[in-house]
Amino acid sequence: MNFNNQFEQLNLSAEYWEQLAPVVASIGRWIWNLDSGICQIDETLKDLTGWPHNNLEFPAQSFLDRIHPDDLTHVNEAVQSTIDTSVAYRTQFRFVRFDKSIIWFDGRGAIIDFEDGNRYLAGVNFDISEYKT
């Protein structure tokens, strides 16, 4: 029996995999409304960063403000380039958690344009701390 057949027999839903992958791989997801400046992050990214779980929406700048000062310029440049060109970015950076500890992320983001004119930047942050220490 091959790998794909084993998964088919398990009959696991796409929703199950969508919920499992971020937790197992320490992948946090986020979305930023570029028109309003409001950001939302998933529960995994809240856990990784120490972000308050009751904080459902917040200014994206408050998240960016927690990026390590030595990494902020290249992160801002990557994000701005994606906003300007619609070409996805990938960058690594340190994030200062609420408890002041540092986590390393491999961050990736892309533009999502909706027909109604709303524009979003959405992406993921992978915890790569174990590879950086």
Side-chain angles (χ1 to χ4, degrees), residues 80-133:
Q80 191 60 53
S81 177
T82 295
I83 292 169
D84 294 343
T85 66
S86 295
V87 174
Y89 77 86
R90 178 179 180 185
T91 190
Q92 294 182 355
F93 62 94
R94 289 162 288 182
F95 185 90
V96 182
R97 296 177 179 173
F98 280 77
D99 67 1
K100 306 294 186 215
S101 64
I102 303 290
I103 185 171
W104 274 93
F105 283 124
D106 183 324
R108 303 171 191 200
I111 291 292
I112 302 172
D113 289 310
F114 288 96
E115 290 180 14
D116 64 4
N118 287 316
R119 196 160 198 238
Y120 292 84
L121 184 63
V124 295
N125 290 335
F126 298 81
D127 178 4
I128 59 168
S129 301
E130 67 182 277
Y131 305 109
K132 291 293 193 174
T133 54

Side-chain angles (χ1 to χ4, degrees), residues 33-106:
N33 182 321
L34 294 173
D35 297 319
S36 70
I38 297 298
C39 184
Q40 295 179 341
I41 62 177
D42 71 1
E43 296 301 311
T44 301
L45 193 52
K46 288 177 183 178
D47 288 342
L48 291 169
T49 60
W51 205 271
H53 281 264
N54 62 348
N55 197 341
L56 303 178
E57 296 182 335
F58 49 87
Q61 189 60 51
S62 62
F63 190 87
L64 295 171
D65 288 344
R66 301 198 72 83
I67 293 174
H68 192 281
D70 292 344
D71 300 330
L72 188 56
T73 298
H74 78 262
V75 171
N76 281 333
E77 288 171 354
V79 168
Q80 191 60 53
S81 177
T82 295
I83 292 169
D84 294 343
T85 66
S86 295
V87 174
Y89 77 86
R90 178 179 180 185
T91 190
Q92 294 182 355
F93 62 94
R94 289 162 288 182
F95 185 90
V96 182
R97 296 177 179 173
F98 280 77
D99 67 1
K100 306 294 186 215
S101 64
I102 303 290
I103 185 171
W104 274 93
F105 283 124
D106 183 324

